[in-house]
Every structure is written in structure tokens, then in C-alpha cells.
Amino acid sequence: MQTHWEPPSRFKHYFRLLELLSVVAILCAGLPGTSATAQSSNIRFADVTKAAGIQFVHNNGAFGQKYLPETMGPGCAFIDYDGDGWQDVLLINSEGWPGHKKTSGTLKLYHNNQNGTFTDVTAKAGLGVSMFGLGVAVGDYDNDGHDDIFVTALGQSHLFHNNGNGAFSDVTKSAGMMGPNEFSTGAAWVDYDNDGKLDLVVSNYVQWSIATDLVCKLDGTHKSYCTPESYKGTSARLWHNLGGGRFEDATQKAGLYDPSSKSLGIAILDYNGDGKPDILMANDTQPNKLYLNKGNGTFEEKAVAAGIAFNEDGVARAGMGVDAADYDRSGRPSILITNFSNQMLALYHNEGNGLFVDEAPRSEIGRGSLLTLGFGCFFFDYDLDGWPDVLVANGHIEADIEHVQKRVKFAMPPHLFRNTGDGKFKEVGPTLGTDFYSPRVARGAAYADFDNDGDLDVLMMTNGGPAKLFRNDGGVNQSLRIKLQGTKSNRDGIGAVVRINAGGEKQWQMLRSGSSYLSQSELVLTFGLGQHSKVDSIEVQWPSGQVDRIQSVPGGQTITVREGRGVTGGKGYGKRS
């Protein structure tokens, strides 16, 4: 048993002097958290939803019966569907239950007008499809230069092909994806076999239907929403891209079949650095899953051995959202998983030997998230200082939770944990303005630079409530944004790893589909440069094995890097708000 060590009394003054000298050294070194903190303190996230013309209220279908799927959605996505260089907004909705369909529950696609406003183009785009929609993933599965959409749903999920003329076609049947009647949640596009075509992995939650709905009581009297422990699990599904617009179900062949899973969030990462994309799934009351890509079209489940299946006490938590990033510049991706209230976030640090260690219990991330229920989450550099920060969208599932647990709320403000650059995080949500830091019953969340000013804005969804678009205002740091265009690799460059060096400071990111909770952030990489005005070198390692190296690129712009050709275009930012 480890105990707390105290130095002998005669040495206490000596150790105190060393501590003071360490503090002075840190201050003199100007590490992140000093001047960078001052630069970050001016940032606000302004609610521009109404001004942007986004009028959306999620329909969860609730009419008093407390059906489990009502608590789950919705997700959202940023997608440049028309290829004009401006991120558009896709919002997922759910239809009502039989006999209670008060609204149509269609998707909503908003076109970016390039002036801070959006126009509803749902009908024109052919996306006015009613379903009990939950999540979304974006990717160009046929490599025609236009991003396509996969929407997960309760029942039949849908694949929408981007025709390149501003409209989509529902190709679920012709793609071979018609048939599965599932409770599908998260999804991510990934070229798992490295053949240049994007495949699709879809997480499924539990076996549920109106006929099999169970009665659970939170207070012993009134019906409440049941936990997933009350229902049988179901396997995720892997769709292998055959080309020609066709897919095959490769779940069992690839080794992903596991009917005990109750999966929500999906993240793609290369956790062992072998150049092959692995799959992480957050499970709700079941062990999380980490599938190691063996490079022969199959996967091996490694979550228990990697230390991410359970919490420190060996208990499976209620995993919701998930993301991965190198938050401490170790060169390895670490993992973020949101959990239920009274469970705190998981921040699994990648130790580099196939093992992860949860740093949350010893950090402000753990303490700050103990009483909140997190859904959407992601690493993103909101203040552009070069260190990935953490955003978490919070909200409970039960409106009456406060009657049972006094310290737990139904509506909760989001978390934004600022990365201080020394492996630690600090909660700064309250400093970002009351628009942002207000209680809501949040679910999906995504990020993008929708106004093309170089910093990252946030889209957040509310269960049974409005979508919220938050504009990032007041920052002063520089950035470089990189859009990828594959040739031998998939057109979007999903799975490519980009490394930069700016003034001796090195960063890297992998371009990925999926992550967060039921949502999709933009398919553009944003690198915060702090006060550096240029990037000295860029290296792009493509899924095909091609490596492109680029020297001396000015910041303050979005560049396009084409596989095998280097930089093929660049566009400066507009004026920052």
C-alpha cells in the first residue's frame, strides 16, 4: 500500500526553497498558462444561431411514455456539401411515435451564405426525409470529390449520395445497406483495409422496440427511462466498400461481431503507431472496445489489455462520446470518453507501450466532471495556442433527477477545459460568456471554422430543444488550416497524418470521420500557431504510404494539399470578430 511521504523536519525548509525556485523557473520560462492565459482570457463564444438564420428545434418524440430512444439524440455535422470552401450545417432530427407524429422529423441542411448567415436548403437538397434520426458521419465514399452523408437511425439508417449539383439521393438500397433494423447511434468513415475506398463502421446500442419496452421507476412510483442494463446488447456493424457504390457487411469476417456491446460513440485512431487505423467504441454499462487493426482485413479486441475497458475499480461505466488526440505532444494519441453523472470523464493517457492510464481522477477534468453527464466531446484548439483543449456537451436524461439526486441537474452548462501545456487542464467555461456557459440538455457537438476567420466555432445540439451555433470571438493567436485531397488515397484524405513544425514547436493531427457523440466536425485540420506567423515545415503521411513534405508556409490561411503534388491552393482568412 502506497502512503504519502513527508520529508524529515530538518529538510522541510530545503524542499520548500526548491518548490519556490521551481515556480520562478516556470514563470521565467513563459510556459503555456502564463502569457497564453492572458491571450485566451479575451475569447468568448457568442450565440449567433438566430442571427445566422438557423431555426431548428429537435423533436425527440416524447409524449409521456418514456421510451428509451427519446433520450439519445440528436447529432449534427459540418459539411461543405457544395465544395465552395465554406462549412454548411446538417442537423439530425427524429420523427414522432406512431399515432403521435406532431412534426415530420426531417433532417435540416443549412447552406452557408458566406456572410455569417445560412439558408435552409433541405427540400432543394432532397434531404426532407422523415426518420427517427440519431447520428451522422460525412465522407466521400465514391471519391467523386463530393462529400456524402450517412445518417444513423432507430430502424433503417440511410446513405445519401451527393450528386454534386446541390442535391442528394437516398442510395441505401442500391448500396446494399437496406435491411438492418437496428438502434444505430455513432458512425465513422474509415479506409480500414487501405484500398483507397472509405468503409463505414456503425455502432448499435441495444435491442429495443415499442413492443419490448420495459417499465422502470426512478422514484419507485412513476415510470422513468430505463438504463441500457435492462436490455440486451447488439453488435456494431462494418460495411466494406466494394466500389461502384456497393457495400458488403464485413462485421463477422473482420472480427467485429460482439452482441454484448451497447455502443454509442466511435473514434478512429492509430493507437500503436503502426500506420493502420484502429477503432474505439464507447459502450454504455458495458466495457469499452478497442479494436486493433491487424492489417489483413481483421481486427483484434484489446480494450482490457490496453486499460480502457473499465474504470480504475474495474467497473464498466456509461460511455457516451469519445475522441482521441495527442494533447501533451507525446507523439501518441490519448483518449477522451464522456460518462454518466457520478462517474466523471475518462482521460486515458497513451503510455506508448500499448497501455493507457486514466489521468482524470488526478486532474481538474475528473473533479470538474464528477456531477455532470457528458455526451458530445472533442479535443480542439479553441485559443490557437498549439495545445488541444477539451469541450464537453452536458445534459441529463431524466428531467426529475434532482428529486432523487439533489446535486445532479437535468440541464447543465458545457465544460471547456483549457490545456495549460503541461499535461494539465483548467476549466474556463464560465469565462467564455453566458451565451455559451448556460445550462441546457445537450447531446451532439461538433466544431468548424464556419466564418473562415481562422478559429474554431462550435455547434451544439439540445435534446428536445434548439440547435446552438457559437462563434469564437476575441482571439489573437495565429493558425494554419489544412484541407487534404487524396489521389491514391481516399479523396478526403481521411486517415492521413499531418505533422507541422512552427518555430521548433511540433504538432500532429490525423484527419478523421466520426468522434464526439453522434456528430461530425469539419474535414479540415486547424493548427494553432500561437504568435508564430508561419509554419517552417509540413509533412503529410497519406494512407497510401505517400509522404509529402512542404517548407515555409505562411499562417493566416487555409491551404489545400493534394497527394503527390503538395500545396495546390491557399486562401487567406477573413476579418476575425
Side-chain angles (χ1 to χ4, degrees):
M1 182 177 68
Q2 186 178 12
T3 58
H4 178 66
W5 179 80
E6 285 283 348
S9 59
R10 65 182 182 274
F11 292 134
K12 284 186 177 180
H13 293 299
Y14 174 69
F15 279 97
R16 179 57 179 157
L17 178 60
L18 287 180
E19 289 175 358
L20 291 172
L21 289 174
S22 297
V23 170
V24 172
I26 290 172
L27 292 174
C28 291
L31 290 175
T34 54
S35 60
T37 300
Q39 293 167 357
S40 302
S41 64
N42 295 323
I43 296 176
R44 299 290 183 272
F45 279 100
D47 183 353
V48 296
T49 315
K50 183 177 180 180
I54 295 177
Q55 300 175 342
F56 174 91
V57 177
H58 173 242
N59 171 44
N60 60 18
F63 66 102
Q65 288 300 303
K66 301 279 186 175
Y67 289 152
L68 178 62
E70 298 167 358
T71 68
M72 306 310 295
C76 59
F78 283 107
I79 173 176
D80 182 9
Y81 80 97
D82 56 354
D84 64 356
W86 293 76
Q87 294 295 319
D88 310 299
V89 167
L90 178 66
L91 308 177
I92 309 303
N93 209 353
S94 305
E95 63 185 0
W97 301 110
H100 298 273
K101 295 188 177 182
K102 298 179 182 179
T103 61
S104 61
T106 65
L107 311 175
K108 284 292 183 180
L109 179 64
Y110 287 91
H111 177 256
N112 192 328
N113 298 324
Q114 305 181 18
N115 61 0
T117 68
F118 292 79
T119 299
D120 184 345
V121 294
T122 309
K124 180 180 178 181
L127 292 176
V129 180
S130 183
M131 69 182 91
F132 202 97
L134 291 167
V136 57
V138 173
D140 182 4
Y141 73 83
D142 57 351
N143 292 327
D144 65 353
H146 309 294
D147 280 332
D148 310 298
I149 299 167
F150 184 80
V151 179
T152 64
L154 176 70
Q156 178 64 60
S157 297
H158 293 262
L159 177 64
F160 295 97
H161 178 258
N162 189 334
N163 301 324
N165 58 359
F168 293 80
S169 297
D170 189 337
V171 296
T172 312
K173 184 175 182 179
S174 63
M177 292 180 168
M178 188 71 77
N181 190 314
E182 295 169 318
F183 194 158
S184 297
T185 49
W189 294 98
V190 54
D191 184 5
Y192 77 93
D193 56 353
N194 198 24
D195 63 355
K197 301 185 293 291
L198 288 176
D199 313 295
L200 181 71
V201 59
V202 181
S203 62
N204 291 307
Y205 194 37
V206 296
Q207 297 180 36
W208 181 93
S209 67
I210 293 178
T212 61
D213 181 65
L214 300 174
V215 176
C216 297
K217 297 178 180 179
L218 185 68
D219 60 4
T221 303
H222 304 94
K223 184 180 180 184
S224 61
Y225 292 108
C226 293
T227 73
E229 293 171 300
S230 306
Y231 297 97
K232 292 181 179 179
T234 184
S235 178
R237 194 174 291 272
L238 178 64
W239 293 104
H240 177 239
N241 192 335
L242 299 172
R246 297 282 299 175
F247 291 80
E248 65 173 352
D249 186 347
T251 310
Q252 296 205 31
K253 182 168 62 176
L256 289 182
Y257 182 73
D258 179 2
S260 71
S261 288
K262 300 175 182 180
S263 303
L264 292 171
I266 293 181
I268 307 300
L269 72 164
D270 178 10
Y271 81 93
N272 62 346
D274 64 356
K276 296 182 284 289
D278 310 308
I279 300 172
L280 169 65
M281 296 185 187
N283 275 323
D284 190 355
T285 71
Q286 287 292 110
N288 299 316
K289 302 294 181 181
L290 179 60
Y291 291 98
L292 173 68
N293 191 330
K294 299 172 69 175
N296 59 0
T298 68
F299 293 83
E300 182 179 0
E301 212 286 301
K302 291 283 192 179
V304 173
I308 70 161
F310 308 97
N311 68 5
E312 288 186 322
D313 299 321
V315 177
R317 288 183 277 192
M320 309 290 183
V322 62
D323 199 14
D326 181 9
Y327 72 84
D328 62 346
R329 296 185 183 173
S330 65
R332 301 179 295 268
S334 294
I335 292 169
L336 177 73
I337 300 178
T338 56
N339 295 302
F340 215 75
S341 53
N342 298 307
Q343 293 183 344
M344 76 175 55
L345 292 176
L347 180 64
Y348 291 108
H349 182 261
N350 191 333
E351 300 294 301
N353 54 3
L355 182 67
F356 292 80
V357 174
D358 190 359
E359 296 290 340
R362 292 169 290 280
S363 74
E364 189 165 333
I365 277 187
R367 294 188 297 271
S369 64
L370 181 59
L371 296 178
T372 53
L373 199 170
F375 280 90
C377 67
F378 44 76
F379 291 100
F380 79 137
D381 189 0
Y382 85 99
D383 56 357
L384 303 178
D385 65 353
W387 297 89
D389 311 297
V390 169
L391 183 141
V392 182
N394 296 311
H396 212 278
I397 65 169
E398 186 58 66
D400 298 325
I401 187 61
E402 293 177 51
H403 297 161
V404 181
Q405 299 181 38
K406 300 298 183 183
R407 299 176 64 196
V408 177
K409 307 299 182 183
F410 178 49
M412 306 173 178
H415 292 302
L416 204 157
F417 295 103
R418 181 177 177 271
N419 189 334
T420 57
D422 52 2
K424 298 179 181 179
F425 292 85
K426 180 178 178 58
E427 171 70 83
V428 296
T431 72
L432 299 173
T434 54
D435 285 352
F436 175 78
Y437 197 71
S438 294
R440 57 182 60 87
V441 185
R443 293 294 186 263
Y447 63 83
D449 180 12
F450 83 85
D451 52 356
N452 278 352
D453 66 350
D455 53 28
L456 293 172
D457 312 298
V458 172
L459 180 63
M460 194 177 298
M461 303 298 283
T462 306
N463 182 271
K468 289 291 184 180
L469 180 63
F470 297 103
R471 189 184 63 211
N472 188 331
D473 292 344
V476 297
N477 286 330
Q478 303 296 311
S479 70
L480 178 69
R481 290 168 46 78
I482 301 176
K483 181 172 177 57
L484 301 176
Q485 191 178 101
T487 52
K488 292 178 288 184
S489 304
N490 67 86
R491 174 82 177 194
D492 281 327
I494 289 173
V497 173
V498 179
R499 296 179 174 87
I500 73 162
N501 185 332
E505 297 187 16
K506 298 179 180 180
Q507 303 176 50
W508 70 274
Q509 296 182 45
M510 175 190 283
L511 184 67
R512 297 170 299 128
S513 169
S515 289
S516 190
Y517 174 80
L518 311 183
S519 299
Q520 170 78 58
S521 295
E522 65 176 345
L523 292 175
V524 181
L525 298 177
T526 297
F527 287 93
L529 305 180
Q531 292 299 295
H532 297 295
S533 61
K534 71 170 184 174
V535 172
D536 301 309
S537 65
I538 301 172
E539 179 184 280
V540 183
Q541 184 174 345
W542 299 87
S544 67
Q546 168 77 28
V547 177
D548 291 329
R549 295 181 176 87
I550 305 150
Q551 303 296 319
S552 191
V553 178
Q557 62 173 330
T558 301
I559 63 171
T560 298
V561 178
R562 188 175 185 188
E563 185 176 13
R565 290 185 54 188
V567 177
T568 59
K571 183 178 181 181
Y573 301 149
K575 184 179 180 180
R576 185 175 292 178
S577 298

